[in-house]
Amino acid sequence: MSETKTGAPDSTPAAGDEDLGAAGSQLSTAPAEDAPNLPSLGVIGWVRWFWRQLTSMRVALLLLLLLSLGAIPGSLIPQTGIDETKVAEFRKAHETLAPIYDKLGLFNVYSSVWFSAIYILLFVSLIGCIVPRTWQFVGQLRGRPPGAPKRLTRLPAYTTWRTDAEPEQVREAALALLKKRRFRAHLTGDAVAAEKGYLREVGNLAFHIALIVMLIAFAWGQLFKSEGNKLVVEGDGFSNTLTQYDDFKSGSLFTQDDLDPFSFNLKNFTGTYEASGPNKGTPRIYKADLSYSVGADGKNKKTTVEVNEPLEIGDSKVYLVSHGYAPVITIRDGKGNVVYRDAVPLLPLDGNVTSTGAIKVMDGYRNAKGEREQLGFQAFFLPTYVKGNELASQFPALLNPVINLEAYHGDLGVDAGIPQSVYQLNKKNLKGFKDAKGAQVRENLKPGETMKLPNGAGTVTFEKEIKEWAGFQVARQPGSGWALAGSLAAIFGLAASLFIQRRRVWVRAATGSDGVTVVEMAGLGRSESAKVPEELGDLAGILYEQAPGAPDAEDDPAESEASPDPQVVPAEGAEK
């Protein structure tokens, strides 16, 4: 009856086991964790020691953690490059913390010295770790699996049996079987050496290379990015130049020459909303019809921009981000001369497009005495007005539009050289128009209605035409495609490094002292796992069919034929 040994008495061989030799060498390209040996060779020795520490995986993980922690204040504290207004408000509200944050660079985290240092050190650490491992892995691919150790019984997965087949036949069958199972296998002495699972290291290296690609892509995107916003009223247009933007921010290496040359006109904005039910007022259709051209002599093309469906021109993407109304207002002086006529964009305050803004007449107006003055009107617009509720619109569509105007005259402050918002009214040097009772002039107007200013100061007409406006964001984010590719590669590389196990199998066939061939099979994985014994058992079962067990001299041949296939059990300490 054939003899089968299952499981070696010893656990996974130690790194210094002389019996294993090359077979017990590392199953990965990770650097060996040697005990630190501080150099005593002067400056060069210390530089080498520092380089080894910087390029170790432990330091790379630490730098990655520091980078994540460093990004937290960039998310919680207002940043100068994103919103200078909020930074100014924070400085006023926190007079003690603001100087400390300035010294630490917390108002500009992503371009600060300390964040850049962490970023660069992580980049260098990854490169210094990957390059030698890549060359080592290439060397492993060009080489052959190591030969079988002298004592296969020392390996965690092991089985043996005796057969009447010749050793050469067993080895040839084992070589064909292992190659069929996609092992890299070759004959070495009286054994077949095979190895599988190289994709684990490929995935590991791909993961780290993908991290470098992502770091480069993010850095490139931050340095050369640009992002601007523009409000465009129906019938008006936009040209992609810095002076056309309402607000604009960019990376430190961005220049005006990086702007893609294009222009567009807003022909029409269409918005429809749910009329009833729990989602009443929710937009159903939200789109802007544009005509655009690329370059100075480009032909006009028509397109439609919707939410999450931007217009792409070169490296720029034009997103539809907001919407509102622009009532057409006509203002005349006391003699009936038109001093102002335009669509006034008002900013929404809620989901029902309750809006507010300012109307400013800066030139051309003279009061009843013939003196030059400026006019200002605080405007409050409700697309759907319901009597008794003058504070908010009841629906975002133009079902019953009403505009409330509060009139002022005097100096708007625009000639002082201090910038001010076109949507806000600076009342510091303004006086309110008073009615006969001495109250501030304030009146609700429906489309087509006119408000008379006191003492023959003129009139204000809310025209029947109400235009709509759309807010666009023009974003340019170079390197985003590379960042996405790096992210996907990192995911697949990490999955390969986690779920693919690199392992080695040896099959030794030699003639025993009694002239019968002894077959030994053993397997070794990078880590203890039940998969290696299971795979070895499967291979042993197939090979046993081609080289069945030989009967012992004292056994009945019938019993030998009924003997089971060899079974492999993991050594003590392996997972079950």
Side-chain angles (χ1 to χ4, degrees), residues 399-426:
L399 301 183
N400 184 27
V402 166
I403 189 170
N404 180 276
L405 296 177
E406 189 173 331
Y408 296 87
H409 64 99
D411 182 10
L412 293 172
V414 295
D415 300 327
I418 301 175
Q420 59 178 253
S421 172
V422 296
Y423 305 105
Q424 296 179 346
L425 195 63
N426 184 358

Side-chain angles (χ1 to χ4, degrees), residues 254-489:
F254 174 84
T255 63
Q256 187 171 352
D257 295 335
D258 294 327
L259 290 173
D260 293 306
F262 68 88
S263 61
F264 66 82
N265 291 312
L266 175 60
K267 296 299 183 181
N268 183 55
F269 180 89
T270 303
T272 61
Y273 308 89
E274 290 285 349
S276 60
N279 295 323
K280 181 180 179 180
T282 302
R284 296 180 60 185
I285 299 176
Y286 212 65
K287 63 180 184 178
D289 297 325
L290 306 179
S291 65
Y292 72 97
S293 63
V294 180
D297 302 322
K299 295 182 179 180
N300 279 334
K301 301 177 183 179
K302 294 183 179 180
T303 188
T304 298
V305 178
E306 300 184 39
V307 178
N308 297 326
E309 295 183 12
L311 168 64
E312 296 188 26
I313 303 176
D315 292 332
S316 300
K317 293 184 178 181
V318 182
Y319 294 90
L320 175 63
V321 295
S322 58
H323 156 258
Y325 295 104
V328 178
I329 303 296
T330 301
I331 301 175
R332 295 177 172 85
D333 60 16
K335 295 181 178 181
N337 299 320
V338 176
V339 295
Y340 182 93
R341 179 183 173 85
D342 202 356
V344 183
L346 304 176
L347 301 182
L349 298 175
D350 55 30
N352 286 329
V353 202
T354 304
S355 307
T356 185
I359 305 170
K360 301 179 182 181
V361 180
M362 294 177 283
D363 298 308
Y365 174 77
R366 293 180 180 271
N367 59 21
K369 299 179 181 180
E371 299 172 343
R372 292 182 178 273
E373 264 191 327
Q374 295 177 332
L375 299 180
F377 299 86
Q378 188 71 51
F380 193 73
F381 181 72
L382 284 69
T384 300
Y385 168 75
V386 176
K387 191 174 182 180
N389 186 357
E390 300 182 355
L391 298 178
S393 174
Q394 301 302 302
F395 196 73
L398 295 171
L399 301 183
N400 184 27
V402 166
I403 189 170
N404 180 276
L405 296 177
E406 189 173 331
Y408 296 87
H409 64 99
D411 182 10
L412 293 172
V414 295
D415 300 327
I418 301 175
Q420 59 178 253
S421 172
V422 296
Y423 305 105
Q424 296 179 346
L425 195 63
N426 184 358
K427 302 176 183 178
K428 181 178 180 180
N429 297 317
L430 294 176
K431 297 180 181 179
F433 281 103
K434 306 296 183 181
D435 59 15
K437 298 181 180 180
Q440 171 68 47
V441 172
R442 183 179 182 132
E443 190 172 334
N444 286 341
L445 299 177
K446 292 185 176 182
E449 294 183 346
T450 298
M451 177 177 70
K452 293 184 179 180
L453 299 177
N455 303 321
T459 61
V460 182
T461 302
F462 177 19
E463 303 292 347
K464 293 184 179 181
E465 181 184 11
I466 301 177
K467 294 185 178 183
E468 300 187 51
W469 60 261
F472 297 94
Q473 182 182 83
V474 181
R476 185 177 181 274
Q477 188 71 40
S480 57
W482 284 100
L484 177 60
S487 301
L488 295 177

Side-chain angles (χ1 to χ4, degrees), residues 170-305:
V170 176
R171 290 193 289 267
E172 290 177 1
L175 181 63
L177 173 62
L178 291 170
K179 287 186 175 180
K180 185 178 180 180
R181 292 296 184 93
R182 297 190 298 276
F183 278 83
R184 293 178 65 229
H186 71 106
L187 288 170
T188 169
D190 61 351
V192 176
E195 191 168 9
K196 190 178 183 180
Y198 285 92
L199 285 179
R200 178 188 182 95
E201 286 305 315
V202 173
N204 196 4
L205 293 173
F207 172 74
H208 291 87
I209 293 173
L211 287 182
I212 294 179
V213 172
M214 291 169 61
L215 288 174
I216 295 175
F218 289 143
W220 187 269
Q222 289 296 319
L223 292 173
F224 292 94
K225 73 174 183 178
S226 65
E227 183 179 294
N229 295 284
K230 178 63 178 179
L231 185 151
V232 183
V233 180
E234 287 177 330
D236 292 345
F238 166 78
S239 180
N240 193 27
T241 60
L242 291 180
T243 56
Q244 289 277 299
Y245 284 99
D246 295 331
D247 62 82
F248 186 86
K249 54 182 177 288
S250 63
S252 56
L253 298 182
F254 174 84
T255 63
Q256 187 171 352
D257 295 335
D258 294 327
L259 290 173
D260 293 306
F262 68 88
S263 61
F264 66 82
N265 291 312
L266 175 60
K267 296 299 183 181
N268 183 55
F269 180 89
T270 303
T272 61
Y273 308 89
E274 290 285 349
S276 60
N279 295 323
K280 181 180 179 180
T282 302
R284 296 180 60 185
I285 299 176
Y286 212 65
K287 63 180 184 178
D289 297 325
L290 306 179
S291 65
Y292 72 97
S293 63
V294 180
D297 302 322
K299 295 182 179 180
N300 279 334
K301 301 177 183 179
K302 294 183 179 180
T303 188
T304 298
V305 178

